[in-house]
Amino acid sequence: MAVDYTVIVVYLAGMLAMGWWGMRRAKSKSDFLVAGRRLGPVMYSGTMAAIVLGGASTIGGVGLGYQYGLSGAWMVFTIGLGLLALSVFFSARIARLKVYTVSEMLDLRYGGRAGVVSGIVMWAYTLMLAVTSTIAYATIFDVLFDMNRTLAIVLGGSIVVAYSTLGGMWSITLTDMVQFVVKTIGVLLLLLPIAVVKAGGFSEMRAKLPTGYFDPLGIGGETIFTYVLIYTFGMLIGQDIWQRVFTAGSDRTAKWGGTVAGTYCLVYAVAGAVIGTAAKVLYPNLGSPDDAFATFVKDELPVGVRGLVLAAALAAVMSTSSGALIACATVANNDIWSRLRGAVRREDDEERDEVRGNRAFILVMGVAVIVTAIALNNVVEALTVAYNLLVGGLLVPILGGLLWKRGTAQGALASVIVGGLAVVGLMAGYGILANEPVYYGLLLSLAAYVTVSLATPATDAAVLAAWRDRLAGRGAPERASEPVAAHQ
């Protein structure tokens, strides 16, 4: 295992070194939070693919393949579909807004009255996403070093918090690009072909497994629909994803770079399902489907390759974890804390203080994430709560703001509150893992948005005019991060 250990240690040291290098580039709030809004197509595509394909997509995707066969690809596949939809239909307009958070977009569209409530919902989502990603370190470090759960979470989480705190989005972008390359080599170019060969090829896999394992819809229509509702739509509105869109250097980069990343996700989805199906042939009686990835890597891969594949899994977890962490800290600082204390826009000569403040919030949120991850037991339930709140509370007012000019601030606020409370109440009644909470919560959110919007005066013409200018890329200063209402 010495060679495998060396590969992992070198990889982790490289992550920290890039964090230090990124710190030298993070000179302004824009640099720190959105990498100066100047990423080119290659880096944008790589880092976008890295953040959406985390531990759930890698370890969980293989686990779904182990449990359901090729149809286990649907979870990751719907993530790819969501990223494609975001990139083709919305990303160029989102990038032109020149904001830092989803709540700032809502303030621009509706006139500055939806920020705190939507910020709290988005903060809860990004916090849980960061927590569930951080917990995944336990699985990887257990395979590598037979390390206990708490120590593994502290070690992995501390490395991510360190490089994220040092350089913000520049550090995360640089590390994500490396993670994308490692993930591509480790999972697609090494693990996938080795798994198929070890299982005897596709003909042997078909001979040893039930035919349902090769049915594209075997996982069930209702499950696929739920995945679309939660993950595809979740990709359209998550702060962690939008914050990456904000890093694009141009409209074209946001659109076509994101399209490439979404296509990569579709390939990654199928690869994970095939690897899981191969693992089912070799290990038909594992205690948990999520053990399939670690068991196969530990028992079947040669020295050196095993270390690289585990580094790929670690890369997948770290990319999602760091992206969720900076999103959580950005929302906590810019959408909640700054608004609650009545902060106004800072002057340019205080920009460095804003970097210091955002850096402090990443550190604080990182510690909170690690502590919560240690205390939390059920990862699936935590992630389900996060996505249910996100989709049930924020999908309608965000897409409504982009697509329906008659939507009002009162309608948006009612939609967030009704949808969020409905999801929480329905989860208490039906159970956290039930599908009904997000179905009914989304319908109630839509009903509240339309009804209240039509019952209240239309959004002020000046606000809509400013909104249209920003969507068109006009009148958007680089540091425009405050609500429109602050200037009225």
Side-chain angles (χ1 to χ4, degrees):
M1 293 288 289
V3 175
D4 297 325
Y5 291 162
T6 301
V7 171
I8 297 295
V9 169
V10 169
Y11 168 77
L12 293 176
M15 295 300 100
L16 291 173
M18 288 189 179
W20 183 263
W21 189 82
M23 182 176 67
R24 300 173 59 187
R25 302 199 64 171
K27 303 298 185 183
S28 69
K29 179 179 179 180
S30 176
D31 288 334
F32 193 81
L33 294 182
V34 290
R37 305 189 196 275
R38 56 179 184 267
L39 294 192
V42 174
M43 288 198 74
Y44 180 85
S45 297
T47 57
M48 182 62 88
I51 188 177
V52 300
L53 296 174
S57 300
T58 303
I59 298 171
V62 171
L64 286 171
Y66 181 89
Q67 188 172 2
Y68 298 105
L70 297 185
S71 67
W74 273 106
M75 184 188 78
V76 183
F77 203 83
T78 56
I79 290 174
L81 292 178
L83 185 52
L84 284 171
L86 174 70
S87 301
V88 173
F89 298 113
F90 300 109
S91 62
R93 285 187 285 173
I94 291 171
R96 285 196 293 265
L97 291 174
K98 294 291 189 291
V99 295
Y100 292 105
T101 68
V102 174
S103 293
E104 288 175 12
M105 167 265 169
L106 292 174
D107 280 344
L108 283 169
R109 168 60 182 82
Y110 295 112
R113 283 175 282 179
V116 174
V117 175
S118 61
I120 291 172
V121 175
M122 189 64 77
W123 174 79
Y125 157 72
T126 53
L127 179 70
M128 285 297 100
L129 185 61
V131 166
T132 53
S133 302
T134 302
I135 290 174
Y137 296 125
T139 300
I140 300 169
F141 284 117
D142 176 60
V143 175
L144 274 172
F145 308 117
D146 194 25
M147 188 180 292
N148 74 66
R149 180 179 182 276
T150 299
L151 186 57
I153 290 172
V154 171
L155 176 60
S158 296
I159 292 171
V160 169
V161 171
Y163 73 69
S164 300
T165 301
L166 286 172
M169 186 60 82
W170 265 121
S171 293
I172 293 171
T173 296
L174 295 170
T175 55
D176 275 0
M177 196 62 202
V178 174
Q179 288 159 358
F180 169 74
V181 173
V182 171
K183 197 182 319 185
T184 301
I185 295 172
V187 175
L188 296 185
L189 301 184
L190 292 176
L191 185 57
L192 175 60
I194 290 173
V196 173
V197 170
K198 290 281 187 178
F202 284 103
S203 59
E204 188 70 14
M205 291 162 66
R206 283 185 174 275
K208 290 186 176 181
L209 295 174
T211 55
Y213 267 74
F214 301 91
D215 179 1
L217 304 178
I219 199 169
E222 184 178 356
T223 299
I224 295 171
F225 178 74
T226 303
Y227 284 159
V228 170
L229 199 60
I230 292 178
Y231 296 114
T232 300
F233 286 115
M235 287 295 106
L236 297 179
I237 59 175
Q239 169 68 23
D240 52 323
I241 309 302
W242 277 42
Q243 200 157 343
R244 293 310 174 95
V245 175
F246 299 150
T247 67
S250 66
D251 296 356
R252 184 177 179 83
T253 294
K255 182 175 182 177
W256 296 111
T259 301
V260 170
T263 305
Y264 178 90
C265 292
L266 303 184
V267 175
Y268 200 87
V270 175
V274 171
I275 293 167
T277 304
K280 183 68 175 179
V281 173
L282 297 169
Y283 307 98
N285 300 309
L286 290 178
S288 168
D290 285 341
D291 293 337
F293 180 91
T295 302
F296 185 91
V297 170
K298 191 173 184 178
D299 294 348
E300 302 294 336
L301 297 186
V303 173
V305 173
R306 178 171 50 213
L308 186 56
V309 170
L310 286 171
L314 197 58
V317 175
M318 282 187 162
S319 56
T320 300
S321 181
S322 59
L325 176 59
I326 193 171
C328 179
T330 303
V331 170
N333 187 16
N334 291 265
D335 292 338
I336 301 175
W337 173 245
S338 292
R339 297 167 192 264
L340 290 178
R341 67 186 177 91
V344 296
R345 179 178 173 183
R346 299 173 188 267
E347 297 299 327
D348 287 341
D349 62 357
E350 296 181 22
E351 185 84 359
R352 184 176 294 275
D353 291 335
E354 290 198 70
V355 172
R356 188 179 297 116
N358 281 290
R359 184 174 281 134
F361 263 87
I362 291 181
L363 182 59
V364 171
M365 290 297 109
V367 172
V369 164
I370 293 172
V371 171
T372 306
I374 292 170
L376 199 64
N377 290 319
N378 198 314
V379 179
V380 175
E381 289 189 357
L383 197 59
T384 301
V385 170
Y387 272 100
N388 282 354
L389 279 173
L390 177 70
V391 174
L394 291 178
L395 178 66
V396 170
I398 292 172
L399 293 189
L402 289 169
L403 301 173
W404 189 41
K405 67 178 181 180
R406 185 60 182 82
T408 66
Q410 295 90 337
L413 194 58
S415 178
V416 173
I417 294 172
V418 170
L421 291 177
V423 164
V424 172
L426 290 166
M427 283 191 292
Y430 283 98
I432 289 176
L433 298 180
N435 294 327
E436 288 83 359
V438 71
Y439 295 166
Y440 299 143
L442 191 55
L443 288 174
L444 290 170
S445 178
L446 177 61
Y449 181 69
V450 173
T451 302
V452 176
S453 290
L454 292 176
T456 52
T459 303
D460 185 87
V463 172
L464 287 178
W467 165 253
R468 287 191 293 269
D469 284 344
R470 292 290 284 271
L471 280 179
R474 300 187 298 268
E478 174 50 45
R479 297 187 65 251
S481 60
E482 72 286 3
V484 169
H487 297 296
Q488 295 177 344

mmCIF file of all heavy atoms in Angstrom, residues 85-86 89-90 93-94 102 105-106 109-110 232-237 242 391 393-405 407 415 442 446 449 467:
data_model
loop_
_atom_site.group_PDB
_atom_site.id
_atom_site.type_symbol
_atom_site.label_atom_id
_atom_site.label_comp_id
_atom_site.label_asym_id
_atom_site.label_seq_id
_atom_site.Cartn_x
_atom_site.Cartn_y
_atom_site.Cartn_z
ATOM 1 N N ALA A 85 -29.662 21.903 -19.355
ATOM 2 C CA ALA A 85 -30.766 22.862 -19.439
ATOM 3 C C ALA A 85 -30.335 24.238 -18.934
ATOM 4 O O ALA A 85 -30.643 25.270 -19.549
ATOM 5 C CB ALA A 85 -31.962 22.349 -18.636
ATOM 6 N N LEU A 86 -29.616 24.263 -17.811
ATOM 7 C CA LEU A 86 -29.126 25.527 -17.273
ATOM 8 C C LEU A 86 -28.218 26.223 -18.267
ATOM 9 O O LEU A 86 -28.337 27.436 -18.505
ATOM 10 C CB LEU A 86 -28.370 25.270 -15.967
ATOM 11 C CG LEU A 86 -27.673 26.483 -15.340
ATOM 12 C CD1 LEU A 86 -28.709 27.462 -14.793
ATOM 13 C CD2 LEU A 86 -26.712 26.045 -14.230
ATOM 14 N N PHE A 89 -30.284 27.292 -21.745
ATOM 15 C CA PHE A 89 -31.410 28.218 -21.670
ATOM 16 C C PHE A 89 -31.202 29.418 -20.742
ATOM 17 O O PHE A 89 -31.805 30.471 -20.950
ATOM 18 C CB PHE A 89 -32.668 27.472 -21.234
ATOM 19 C CG PHE A 89 -33.090 26.394 -22.186
ATOM 20 C CD1 PHE A 89 -33.025 25.061 -21.828
ATOM 21 C CD2 PHE A 89 -33.529 26.714 -23.467
ATOM 22 C CE1 PHE A 89 -33.406 24.062 -22.707
ATOM 23 C CE2 PHE A 89 -33.909 25.721 -24.368
ATOM 24 C CZ PHE A 89 -33.852 24.381 -23.985
ATOM 25 N N PHE A 90 -30.372 29.278 -19.704
ATOM 26 C CA PHE A 90 -30.327 30.327 -18.685
ATOM 27 C C PHE A 90 -28.941 30.901 -18.385
ATOM 28 O O PHE A 90 -28.835 32.017 -17.886
ATOM 29 C CB PHE A 90 -30.912 29.807 -17.365
ATOM 30 C CG PHE A 90 -32.339 29.356 -17.464
ATOM 31 C CD1 PHE A 90 -32.674 28.017 -17.384
ATOM 32 C CD2 PHE A 90 -33.362 30.285 -17.629
ATOM 33 C CE1 PHE A 90 -33.994 27.602 -17.473
ATOM 34 C CE2 PHE A 90 -34.683 29.888 -17.700
ATOM 35 C CZ PHE A 90 -35.006 28.538 -17.642
ATOM 36 N N ARG A 93 -27.778 34.533 -19.517
ATOM 37 C CA ARG A 93 -28.486 35.617 -18.822
ATOM 38 C C ARG A 93 -28.034 35.737 -17.370
ATOM 39 O O ARG A 93 -27.862 36.830 -16.836
ATOM 40 C CB ARG A 93 -29.998 35.386 -18.886
ATOM 41 C CG ARG A 93 -30.598 35.701 -20.243
ATOM 42 C CD ARG A 93 -32.103 35.628 -20.207
ATOM 43 N NE ARG A 93 -32.569 34.250 -20.178
ATOM 44 C CZ ARG A 93 -33.849 33.904 -20.013
ATOM 45 N NH1 ARG A 93 -34.771 34.840 -19.823
ATOM 46 N NH2 ARG A 93 -34.202 32.634 -20.034
ATOM 47 N N ILE A 94 -27.827 34.585 -16.730
ATOM 48 C CA ILE A 94 -27.380 34.601 -15.336
ATOM 49 C C ILE A 94 -26.003 35.256 -15.225
ATOM 50 O O ILE A 94 -25.756 36.077 -14.339
ATOM 51 C CB ILE A 94 -27.337 33.161 -14.784
ATOM 52 C CG1 ILE A 94 -28.756 32.598 -14.650
ATOM 53 C CG2 ILE A 94 -26.621 33.111 -13.427
ATOM 54 C CD1 ILE A 94 -28.788 31.113 -14.331
ATOM 55 N N VAL A 102 -27.838 33.861 -5.626
ATOM 56 C CA VAL A 102 -29.187 33.712 -6.170
ATOM 57 C C VAL A 102 -30.126 34.742 -5.546
ATOM 58 O O VAL A 102 -30.985 35.316 -6.223
ATOM 59 C CB VAL A 102 -29.710 32.284 -5.911
ATOM 60 C CG1 VAL A 102 -31.166 32.154 -6.336
ATOM 61 C CG2 VAL A 102 -28.851 31.254 -6.643
ATOM 62 N N MET A 105 -30.049 37.998 -7.212
ATOM 63 C CA MET A 105 -30.842 37.968 -8.440
ATOM 64 C C MET A 105 -32.312 38.207 -8.138
ATOM 65 O O MET A 105 -33.001 38.974 -8.835
ATOM 66 C CB MET A 105 -30.643 36.617 -9.136
ATOM 67 C CG MET A 105 -31.638 36.311 -10.244
ATOM 68 S SD MET A 105 -33.042 35.321 -9.638
ATOM 69 C CE MET A 105 -34.147 35.414 -11.038
ATOM 70 N N LEU A 106 -32.828 37.576 -7.083
ATOM 71 C CA LEU A 106 -34.230 37.774 -6.705
ATOM 72 C C LEU A 106 -34.489 39.225 -6.319
ATOM 73 O O LEU A 106 -35.534 39.798 -6.657
ATOM 74 C CB LEU A 106 -34.597 36.844 -5.552
ATOM 75 C CG LEU A 106 -34.642 35.341 -5.874
ATOM 76 C CD1 LEU A 106 -34.875 34.527 -4.606
ATOM 77 C CD2 LEU A 106 -35.732 35.041 -6.903
ATOM 78 N N ARG A 109 -34.671 41.328 -9.460
ATOM 79 C CA ARG A 109 -35.906 41.084 -10.226
ATOM 80 C C ARG A 109 -37.145 41.630 -9.533
ATOM 81 O O ARG A 109 -38.058 42.188 -10.184
ATOM 82 C CB ARG A 109 -36.047 39.572 -10.471
ATOM 83 C CG ARG A 109 -37.407 39.106 -10.991
ATOM 84 C CD ARG A 109 -37.758 39.735 -12.327
ATOM 85 N NE ARG A 109 -39.070 39.292 -12.760
ATOM 86 C CZ ARG A 109 -40.231 39.810 -12.356
ATOM 87 N NH1 ARG A 109 -40.239 40.828 -11.500
ATOM 88 N NH2 ARG A 109 -41.368 39.337 -12.806
ATOM 89 N N TYR A 110 -37.211 41.486 -8.213
ATOM 90 C CA TYR A 110 -38.456 41.823 -7.512
ATOM 91 C C TYR A 110 -38.389 43.134 -6.726
ATOM 92 O O TYR A 110 -39.367 43.552 -6.138
ATOM 93 C CB TYR A 110 -38.850 40.690 -6.566
ATOM 94 C CG TYR A 110 -39.196 39.404 -7.270
ATOM 95 C CD1 TYR A 110 -38.374 38.277 -7.151
ATOM 96 C CD2 TYR A 110 -40.333 39.309 -8.062
ATOM 97 C CE1 TYR A 110 -38.693 37.091 -7.797
ATOM 98 C CE2 TYR A 110 -40.648 38.132 -8.716
ATOM 99 C CZ TYR A 110 -39.826 37.024 -8.588
ATOM 100 O OH TYR A 110 -40.142 35.854 -9.237
ATOM 101 N N THR A 232 -32.603 17.534 -11.596
ATOM 102 C CA THR A 232 -32.570 18.355 -12.803
ATOM 103 C C THR A 232 -32.956 19.795 -12.481
ATOM 104 O O THR A 232 -32.259 20.740 -12.852
ATOM 105 C CB THR A 232 -33.510 17.783 -13.877
ATOM 106 O OG1 THR A 232 -33.096 16.451 -14.204
ATOM 107 C CG2 THR A 232 -33.464 18.631 -15.146
ATOM 108 N N PHE A 233 -34.077 19.959 -11.762
ATOM 109 C CA PHE A 233 -34.489 21.312 -11.396
ATOM 110 C C PHE A 233 -33.565 21.911 -10.336
ATOM 111 O O PHE A 233 -33.356 23.124 -10.297
ATOM 112 C CB PHE A 233 -35.935 21.316 -10.915
ATOM 113 C CG PHE A 233 -36.938 21.164 -12.025
ATOM 114 C CD1 PHE A 233 -37.745 20.048 -12.112
ATOM 115 C CD2 PHE A 233 -37.053 22.136 -13.000
ATOM 116 C CE1 PHE A 233 -38.666 19.905 -13.141
ATOM 117 C CE2 PHE A 233 -37.970 22.016 -14.034
ATOM 118 C CZ PHE A 233 -38.776 20.885 -14.111
ATOM 119 N N GLY A 234 -33.017 21.055 -9.466
ATOM 120 C CA GLY A 234 -32.071 21.544 -8.466
ATOM 121 C C GLY A 234 -30.835 22.157 -9.097
ATOM 122 O O GLY A 234 -30.283 23.146 -8.599
ATOM 123 N N MET A 235 -30.384 21.594 -10.223
ATOM 124 C CA MET A 235 -29.246 22.159 -10.942
ATOM 125 C C MET A 235 -29.536 23.556 -11.476
ATOM 126 O O MET A 235 -28.629 24.366 -11.673
ATOM 127 C CB MET A 235 -28.866 21.252 -12.124
ATOM 128 C CG MET A 235 -28.187 19.950 -11.785
ATOM 129 S SD MET A 235 -26.563 20.143 -11.018
ATOM 130 C CE MET A 235 -26.979 19.708 -9.330
ATOM 131 N N LEU A 236 -30.804 23.852 -11.732
ATOM 132 C CA LEU A 236 -31.169 25.144 -12.312
ATOM 133 C C LEU A 236 -31.082 26.292 -11.314
ATOM 134 O O LEU A 236 -30.978 27.450 -11.718
ATOM 135 C CB LEU A 236 -32.596 25.085 -12.878
ATOM 136 C CG LEU A 236 -32.867 24.127 -14.032
ATOM 137 C CD1 LEU A 236 -34.332 24.198 -14.435
ATOM 138 C CD2 LEU A 236 -31.965 24.411 -15.219
ATOM 139 N N ILE A 237 -31.137 25.987 -10.010
ATOM 140 C CA ILE A 237 -31.316 27.068 -9.041
ATOM 141 C C ILE A 237 -30.348 27.048 -7.866
ATOM 142 O O ILE A 237 -30.395 27.932 -7.018
ATOM 143 C CB ILE A 237 -32.762 27.047 -8.481
ATOM 144 C CG1 ILE A 237 -33.069 25.703 -7.806
ATOM 145 C CG2 ILE A 237 -33.765 27.339 -9.584
ATOM 146 C CD1 ILE A 237 -34.432 25.658 -7.138
ATOM 147 N N TRP A 242 -24.828 28.187 -9.538
ATOM 148 C CA TRP A 242 -24.842 29.555 -10.058
ATOM 149 C C TRP A 242 -23.522 30.267 -9.800
ATOM 150 O O TRP A 242 -23.063 31.043 -10.638
ATOM 151 C CB TRP A 242 -25.987 30.340 -9.395
ATOM 152 C CG TRP A 242 -27.320 30.135 -10.039
ATOM 153 C CD1 TRP A 242 -27.828 28.945 -10.490
ATOM 154 C CD2 TRP A 242 -28.308 31.126 -10.312
ATOM 155 N NE1 TRP A 242 -29.079 29.141 -11.004
ATOM 156 C CE2 TRP A 242 -29.404 30.467 -10.901
ATOM 157 C CE3 TRP A 242 -28.390 32.487 -10.076
ATOM 158 C CZ2 TRP A 242 -30.562 31.140 -11.285
ATOM 159 C CZ3 TRP A 242 -29.539 33.169 -10.457
ATOM 160 C CH2 TRP A 242 -30.620 32.498 -11.064
ATOM 161 N N VAL A 391 -35.878 22.900 -3.924
ATOM 162 C CA VAL A 391 -36.829 22.839 -5.031
ATOM 163 C C VAL A 391 -38.208 23.332 -4.597
ATOM 164 O O VAL A 391 -38.845 24.131 -5.298
ATOM 165 C CB VAL A 391 -36.918 21.397 -5.588
ATOM 166 C CG1 VAL A 391 -38.009 21.297 -6.649
ATOM 167 C CG2 VAL A 391 -35.568 20.985 -6.187
ATOM 168 N N GLY A 393 -39.028 25.351 -2.142
ATOM 169 C CA GLY A 393 -39.094 26.741 -1.722
ATOM 170 C C GLY A 393 -38.634 27.761 -2.742
ATOM 171 O O GLY A 393 -39.138 28.887 -2.761
ATOM 172 N N LEU A 394 -37.667 27.402 -3.600
ATOM 173 C CA LEU A 394 -37.036 28.431 -4.445
ATOM 174 C C LEU A 394 -37.195 28.236 -5.947
ATOM 175 O O LEU A 394 -36.955 29.172 -6.713
ATOM 176 C CB LEU A 394 -35.543 28.516 -4.115
ATOM 177 C CG LEU A 394 -35.194 29.078 -2.734
ATOM 178 C CD1 LEU A 394 -33.684 29.071 -2.522
ATOM 179 C CD2 LEU A 394 -35.728 30.498 -2.572
ATOM 180 N N LEU A 395 -37.577 27.052 -6.389
ATOM 181 C CA LEU A 395 -37.667 26.830 -7.836
ATOM 182 C C LEU A 395 -38.656 27.788 -8.501
ATOM 183 O O LEU A 395 -38.339 28.426 -9.506
ATOM 184 C CB LEU A 395 -38.080 25.382 -8.122
ATOM 185 C CG LEU A 395 -38.247 25.039 -9.611
ATOM 186 C CD1 LEU A 395 -36.915 25.108 -10.327
ATOM 187 C CD2 LEU A 395 -38.872 23.659 -9.785
ATOM 188 N N VAL A 396 -39.849 27.903 -7.946
ATOM 189 C CA VAL A 396 -40.897 28.715 -8.578
ATOM 190 C C VAL A 396 -40.536 30.202 -8.630
ATOM 191 O O VAL A 396 -40.610 30.813 -9.704
ATOM 192 C CB VAL A 396 -42.245 28.489 -7.865
ATOM 193 C CG1 VAL A 396 -43.283 29.510 -8.348
ATOM 194 C CG2 VAL A 396 -42.749 27.075 -8.123
ATOM 195 N N PRO A 397 -40.141 30.837 -7.506
ATOM 196 C CA PRO A 397 -39.830 32.274 -7.616
ATOM 197 C C PRO A 397 -38.620 32.577 -8.496
ATOM 198 O O PRO A 397 -38.572 33.631 -9.144
ATOM 199 C CB PRO A 397 -39.572 32.696 -6.164
ATOM 200 C CG PRO A 397 -39.304 31.440 -5.416
ATOM 201 C CD PRO A 397 -40.090 30.374 -6.107
ATOM 202 N N ILE A 398 -37.647 31.654 -8.572
ATOM 203 C CA ILE A 398 -36.476 31.900 -9.423
ATOM 204 C C ILE A 398 -36.840 31.778 -10.898
ATOM 205 O O ILE A 398 -36.607 32.693 -11.696
ATOM 206 C CB ILE A 398 -35.328 30.940 -9.060
ATOM 207 C CG1 ILE A 398 -34.776 31.273 -7.674
ATOM 208 C CG2 ILE A 398 -34.208 31.036 -10.096
ATOM 209 C CD1 ILE A 398 -33.773 30.263 -7.153
ATOM 210 N N LEU A 399 -37.425 30.642 -11.290
ATOM 211 C CA LEU A 399 -37.800 30.469 -12.692
ATOM 212 C C LEU A 399 -38.928 31.429 -13.070
ATOM 213 O O LEU A 399 -38.979 31.926 -14.199
ATOM 214 C CB LEU A 399 -38.218 29.020 -12.961
ATOM 215 C CG LEU A 399 -37.108 27.971 -12.849
ATOM 216 C CD1 LEU A 399 -37.605 26.615 -13.342
ATOM 217 C CD2 LEU A 399 -35.876 28.382 -13.645
ATOM 218 N N GLY A 400 -39.836 31.704 -12.109
ATOM 219 C CA GLY A 400 -40.896 32.668 -12.380
ATOM 220 C C GLY A 400 -40.333 34.047 -12.665
ATOM 221 O O GLY A 400 -40.795 34.760 -13.569
ATOM 222 N N GLY A 401 -39.296 34.441 -11.917
ATOM 223 C CA GLY A 401 -38.670 35.739 -12.143
ATOM 224 C C GLY A 401 -38.006 35.830 -13.496
ATOM 225 O O GLY A 401 -37.983 36.885 -14.129
ATOM 226 N N LEU A 402 -37.455 34.709 -13.963
ATOM 227 C CA LEU A 402 -36.780 34.696 -15.259
ATOM 228 C C LEU A 402 -37.751 34.621 -16.428
ATOM 229 O O LEU A 402 -37.446 35.096 -17.529
ATOM 230 C CB LEU A 402 -35.807 33.509 -15.324
ATOM 231 C CG LEU A 402 -34.550 33.599 -14.453
ATOM 232 C CD1 LEU A 402 -33.838 32.251 -14.414
ATOM 233 C CD2 LEU A 402 -33.610 34.685 -14.958
ATOM 234 N N LEU A 403 -38.937 34.028 -16.203
ATOM 235 C CA LEU A 403 -39.825 33.715 -17.318
ATOM 236 C C LEU A 403 -41.145 34.476 -17.334
ATOM 237 O O LEU A 403 -41.790 34.560 -18.377
ATOM 238 C CB LEU A 403 -40.129 32.202 -17.320
ATOM 239 C CG LEU A 403 -38.929 31.266 -17.436
ATOM 240 C CD1 LEU A 403 -39.362 29.821 -17.260
ATOM 241 C CD2 LEU A 403 -38.229 31.447 -18.781
ATOM 242 N N TRP A 404 -41.575 35.045 -16.181
ATOM 243 C CA TRP A 404 -42.907 35.662 -16.107
ATOM 244 C C TRP A 404 -42.791 37.064 -15.533
ATOM 245 O O TRP A 404 -42.522 37.234 -14.345
ATOM 246 C CB TRP A 404 -43.826 34.806 -15.223
ATOM 247 C CG TRP A 404 -45.267 35.205 -15.239
ATOM 248 C CD1 TRP A 404 -45.998 35.589 -16.319
ATOM 249 C CD2 TRP A 404 -46.164 35.242 -14.120
ATOM 250 N NE1 TRP A 404 -47.293 35.858 -15.948
ATOM 251 C CE2 TRP A 404 -47.430 35.648 -14.606
ATOM 252 C CE3 TRP A 404 -46.016 34.969 -12.750
ATOM 253 C CZ2 TRP A 404 -48.537 35.792 -13.776
ATOM 254 C CZ3 TRP A 404 -47.131 35.104 -11.931
ATOM 255 C CH2 TRP A 404 -48.375 35.512 -12.445
ATOM 256 N N LYS A 405 -43.032 38.069 -16.348
ATOM 257 C CA LYS A 405 -42.823 39.448 -15.896
ATOM 258 C C LYS A 405 -43.888 39.916 -14.912
ATOM 259 O O LYS A 405 -43.711 40.921 -14.215
ATOM 260 C CB LYS A 405 -42.758 40.398 -17.087
ATOM 261 C CG LYS A 405 -44.065 40.549 -17.863
ATOM 262 C CD LYS A 405 -43.890 41.545 -18.991
ATOM 263 C CE LYS A 405 -45.184 41.756 -19.779
ATOM 264 N NZ LYS A 405 -45.007 42.719 -20.887
ATOM 265 N N GLY A 407 -44.816 38.339 -12.239
ATOM 266 C CA GLY A 407 -44.493 37.913 -10.882
ATOM 267 C C GLY A 407 -44.070 39.096 -10.026
ATOM 268 O O GLY A 407 -43.360 39.989 -10.488
ATOM 269 N N SER A 415 -44.384 32.415 -2.147
ATOM 270 C CA SER A 415 -43.980 31.140 -2.736
ATOM 271 C C SER A 415 -42.886 30.462 -1.918
ATOM 272 O O SER A 415 -42.946 29.261 -1.650
ATOM 273 C CB SER A 415 -43.487 31.379 -4.167
ATOM 274 O OG SER A 415 -43.053 30.186 -4.757
ATOM 275 N N LEU A 442 -44.117 21.721 -4.157
ATOM 276 C CA LEU A 442 -43.876 22.488 -5.386
ATOM 277 C C LEU A 442 -45.180 23.036 -5.956
ATOM 278 O O LEU A 442 -45.248 24.197 -6.396
ATOM 279 C CB LEU A 442 -43.172 21.596 -6.409
ATOM 280 C CG LEU A 442 -42.591 22.268 -7.659
ATOM 281 C CD1 LEU A 442 -41.637 23.383 -7.283
ATOM 282 C CD2 LEU A 442 -41.894 21.229 -8.527
ATOM 283 N N LEU A 446 -46.166 27.011 -6.350
ATOM 284 C CA LEU A 446 -46.610 27.587 -7.613
ATOM 285 C C LEU A 446 -47.950 28.306 -7.449
ATOM 286 O O LEU A 446 -48.136 29.431 -7.955
ATOM 287 C CB LEU A 446 -46.728 26.492 -8.673
ATOM 288 C CG LEU A 446 -47.249 26.923 -10.046
ATOM 289 C CD1 LEU A 446 -46.334 27.964 -10.675
ATOM 290 C CD2 LEU A 446 -47.404 25.705 -10.959
ATOM 291 N N TYR A 449 -47.442 31.576 -5.606
ATOM 292 C CA TYR A 449 -46.754 32.565 -6.438
ATOM 293 C C TYR A 449 -47.713 33.219 -7.427
ATOM 294 O O TYR A 449 -47.774 34.454 -7.531
ATOM 295 C CB TYR A 449 -45.616 31.875 -7.193
ATOM 296 C CG TYR A 449 -44.798 32.791 -8.085
ATOM 297 C CD1 TYR A 449 -43.967 33.755 -7.542
ATOM 298 C CD2 TYR A 449 -44.872 32.681 -9.471
ATOM 299 C CE1 TYR A 449 -43.213 34.589 -8.352
ATOM 300 C CE2 TYR A 449 -44.122 33.502 -10.287
ATOM 301 C CZ TYR A 449 -43.290 34.464 -9.735
ATOM 302 O OH TYR A 449 -42.554 35.285 -10.545
ATOM 303 N N TRP A 467 -33.876 45.545 -14.350
ATOM 304 C CA TRP A 467 -33.701 44.089 -14.489
ATOM 305 C C TRP A 467 -33.416 43.714 -15.945
ATOM 306 O O TRP A 467 -32.498 42.938 -16.220
ATOM 307 C CB TRP A 467 -34.964 43.399 -13.975
ATOM 308 C CG TRP A 467 -35.118 41.953 -14.345
ATOM 309 C CD1 TRP A 467 -35.973 41.411 -15.256
ATOM 310 C CD2 TRP A 467 -34.390 40.842 -13.807
ATOM 311 N NE1 TRP A 467 -35.836 40.041 -15.328
ATOM 312 C CE2 TRP A 467 -34.869 39.670 -14.442
ATOM 313 C CE3 TRP A 467 -33.389 40.729 -12.845
ATOM 314 C CZ2 TRP A 467 -34.383 38.407 -14.145
ATOM 315 C CZ3 TRP A 467 -32.898 39.445 -12.554
ATOM 316 C CH2 TRP A 467 -33.384 38.313 -13.197
#
